Amino acid sequence: MSGFFSKDRITAGHEYNRWLVPPAALAIHLCIGQAYAFSVFNDPLTRIVGVSESASADWSLSTVGWIFSIAIVFLGLSAAVFGAWVERVGPRMTMFTSACCFGGGFLVSALGVWTHQLWLVYLGYGVLGGIGLGLGYISPVGTLIRWFPDRRGMATGMAIMGFGGGALIGAPLSVNLMELFSTESSVGVAPTFITMGLIYFASMCLGAFVVRVPAADWRPSGWAPPAQSNRMVSSNNVHIDTALKTPQFWLLWVILCFNVTAGIGVLGQASVMIQETFSGAQITAAAAGGFVALLSIFNMVGRFFWASTSDYIGRRPTYFIFFGLGAALYILIPIVGSGLGSLLLFVAAFSIILTMYGGGFATIPAYLADLFGTRYVGGIHGRLLTAWAVAGVLGPVLVNYIREFQINAGVEPANAYNVTMFIMAGLLIIGFICNFLVKPVDSKYHMKEEEESQAAAGKAAKA
Amino acid sequence: MTAEDQAEQNPGGEAQSSTSWVLVIAFWAYVTIPLAWGVYETLGGVTALFTG
């Protein structure tokens, strides 16, 4: 069985078409992206016993909210801890393991719902599913970069766009399935979990079986590695453990963390924010939901657009745009929102910000490959994702607590977000400075020729 | 550089058959159709933002 998953077994022959790899990666990311839509289960999970309304024996919303948080924590942890393993065993084994964890997580959670044991749901979707998320997220990154050395940004942008798009599929799919399975005595969550677990497992396995790695000497037809004209694109490799000792890794860590912090807080609070900012215009709950949906679409589109753009203008200039334009837009939002009262400009500003939020996620693997080489980029990317876990806490805390503090201090709800917007702009300015400080990795960190050969031999032996 | 030289240097290059392109189109359809459905469903919600 291990032979079927080995790297040797999945090294592509000459007939293999590299354009099969992006949909294989999308098959994974479109599934695990469902995590962003998990909130559609929150309300039904608080009515498992009472069905039509929450009963005293039912779980509270705050305890149910922990399921998603645990999953995101385990996403970050597993991506960081298993990064080296992912590089060693290759994408098929990683994708299959991810499919087992993510699909299996749904099944364990269904058992938890049936037996009304919340710890089983934490263990299922939170721990198992979270590990599936982390492994699935990083599994295709290094492979895509190796297949598309001529379009690193576009290739990883396509896959990571899938993570944004997964919520757009997961939300209506969950709602439709719960409607289908609900009865007078059940909200239909458990059979929905089972169905989704099986669908996602099958789809992710398809991606795992289709994916291949290129032969060591493979390169796209008609393409030759460019002469060393761009100092920011290295042809040398840095070992996964050595990368952590470089200032470049930590500068990129801060860059990712602050870019995500600025976007994630807005995403989580968007519905309330637009209703409070335009309280005089009577924004309905449905309209606020439409705003959240619009942001999700821009988040997804930005992933492909900005990552592809970075192939032409470079990674560093792309992040200068994210931080420069992002900071300017955050400063403008209080003016166009509560100041001018322009809903259109308010929505437009946040839509652009969300493209750059998604773009930050999608462009970072190519930035890492440019600086640290392609050999360990998947594992290094996994370790960098700890910045996401930190931002996942920092962003919502900044938005929610500062709003609460402002309202308690007597500030009008329409103006309660102004200080937060300026803080977000400040974070982006720090990100801009960090991006400015990113320089090529010192040659003392590069792998020596014998280390490269040893690593290649070690991989072949283990495969 | 001749085509033969290139093929020699690049044994795993893009010399795909028409069958492989059929597979590519089929697999792309497999992932883009659900995504298009998801975008369509989501856009339905977006209209509420502008119609109230």
Side-chain angles (χ1 to χ4, degrees):
Chain A
M1 187 71 172
S2 64
F4 179 73
F5 292 101
S6 77
K7 266 186 165 178
D8 275 350
R9 183 73 176 264
I10 60 166
T11 301
H14 71 278
E15 80 291 348
Y16 188 80
N17 191 319
R18 66 171 175 165
W19 287 97
L20 280 167
V21 182
L26 274 168
I28 301 289
H29 273 236
L30 284 172
C31 293
I32 60 175
Q34 178 277 338
Y36 271 150
F38 190 82
S39 60
V40 298
F41 290 115
N42 284 354
D43 178 58
L45 282 170
T46 62
R47 293 185 283 111
I48 300 292
V49 177
V51 184
S52 58
E53 59 183 33
S54 196
S56 58
D58 265 312
W59 300 327
S60 70
L61 194 60
S62 56
T63 54
V64 165
W66 276 103
I67 301 167
F68 175 74
S69 303
I70 294 169
I72 293 297
V73 167
F74 274 85
L75 182 161
L77 287 176
S78 60
V81 170
F82 296 118
W85 178 77
V86 167
E87 290 296 331
R88 196 171 69 240
V89 301
R92 178 177 281 176
M93 175 66 114
T94 314
M95 288 174 173
F96 181 71
T97 310
S98 165
C100 292
C101 290
F102 194 63
F106 269 108
L107 301 186
V108 173
S109 296
L111 185 66
V113 172
W114 242 313
T115 56
H116 209 245
Q117 297 287 325
L118 188 58
W119 69 271
L120 270 176
V121 187
Y122 287 160
L123 177 71
Y125 194 90
V127 178
L128 260 182
I131 294 170
L133 286 174
L135 291 178
Y137 193 91
I138 61 171
S139 60
V141 167
T143 306
L144 279 165
I145 286 175
R146 283 171 209 123
W147 274 114
F148 290 86
D150 47 340
R151 289 281 177 273
R152 291 171 175 179
M154 181 206 71
T156 53
M158 272 191 283
I160 292 173
M161 176 187 78
F163 197 79
L168 306 188
I169 300 171
L173 179 65
S174 312
V175 170
N176 289 345
L177 284 173
M178 280 191 286
E179 273 176 19
L180 180 71
F181 292 124
S182 63
T183 61
E184 283 183 4
S185 59
S186 165
V187 286
V189 174
T192 298
F193 275 175
I194 292 174
T195 310
M196 291 181 79
L198 294 175
I199 291 173
Y200 285 143
F201 175 75
S203 181
M204 292 168 80
C205 281
L206 193 60
F209 298 149
V210 168
V211 77
R212 298 283 186 279
V213 293
D217 59 347
W218 182 90
R219 58 178 191 248
S221 182
W223 179 85
Q228 200 68 10
S229 57
N230 186 349
R231 287 177 62 247
M232 291 302 289
V233 183
S234 173
S235 55
N236 295 290
N237 292 305
V238 178
H239 192 273
I240 183 169
D241 296 327
T242 313
L244 268 67
K245 296 171 187 159
T246 65
Q248 286 81 359
F249 177 88
W250 295 106
L251 287 169
L252 290 189
W253 195 95
V254 175
I255 284 169
L256 181 67
C257 183
F258 285 0
N259 192 57
V260 176
T261 299
I264 207 166
V266 172
L267 260 182
Q269 198 66 13
S271 173
V272 179
M273 194 187 294
I274 195 169
Q275 290 184 80
E276 289 186 342
T277 305
F278 294 95
S279 49
Q282 298 295 315
I283 301 285
T284 62
F291 179 53
V292 178
L294 188 71
L295 294 185
S296 303
I297 290 175
F298 275 95
N299 171 22
M300 180 188 75
V301 172
R303 290 169 188 245
F304 181 68
F305 173 78
W306 286 112
S308 302
T309 303
S310 76
D311 284 333
Y312 296 95
I313 66 172
R315 318 307 165 196
R316 204 159 165 248
T318 305
Y319 278 89
F320 278 136
I321 296 174
F322 293 166
F323 293 126
L325 180 60
L329 287 171
Y330 269 114
I331 291 166
L332 279 174
I333 280 167
I335 300 167
V336 300
S338 54
L340 296 175
S342 171
L343 178 66
L344 193 67
L345 288 176
F346 181 87
V347 170
F350 271 123
S351 298
I352 296 169
I353 285 173
L354 262 291
T355 67
M356 297 190 290
Y357 164 74
F361 275 117
T363 313
I364 208 80
Y367 207 165
L368 288 169
D370 287 356
L371 290 169
F372 298 105
T374 58
R375 183 177 286 277
Y376 292 104
V377 67
I380 297 171
H381 180 227
R383 292 185 180 181
L384 196 81
L385 289 182
T386 48
W388 183 3
V390 173
V393 177
L394 194 60
V397 164
L398 274 177
V399 173
N400 298 339
Y401 282 89
I402 294 174
R403 170 193 167 273
E404 207 172 301
F405 178 79
Q406 293 279 96
I407 288 176
N408 289 342
V411 175
E412 286 281 306
N415 296 317
Y417 297 97
N418 293 359
V419 172
T420 309
M421 296 300 119
F422 295 138
I423 291 174
M424 294 299 185
L427 290 180
L428 292 179
I429 290 166
I430 297 171
F432 190 97
I433 296 166
C434 288
N435 192 42
F436 181 77
L437 295 174
V438 174
K439 301 281 183 281
V441 175
D442 194 303
S443 59
K444 72 179 177 187
Y445 296 114
H446 293 161
M447 289 176 77
K448 307 288 178 292
E449 220 166 272
E450 59 269 29
E451 287 177 311
E452 294 260 15
S453 327
Q454 274 172 10
K459 277 184 179 184
K462 278 167 183 162
Chain B
M1 184 189 285
T2 66
E4 279 173 358
D5 290 340
Q6 208 171 52
E8 202 170 294
Q9 277 196 9
N10 185 16
E14 292 177 291
Q16 286 94 23
S17 63
S18 55
T19 316
S20 77
W21 281 108
V22 171
L23 266 177
V24 168
I25 292 165
F27 203 23
W28 271 102
Y30 172 75
V31 292
T32 51
I33 290 170
L35 181 59
W37 173 74
V39 171
Y40 173 78
E41 291 280 320
T42 310
L43 281 174
V46 173
T47 54
L49 175 60
F50 299 104
T51 58

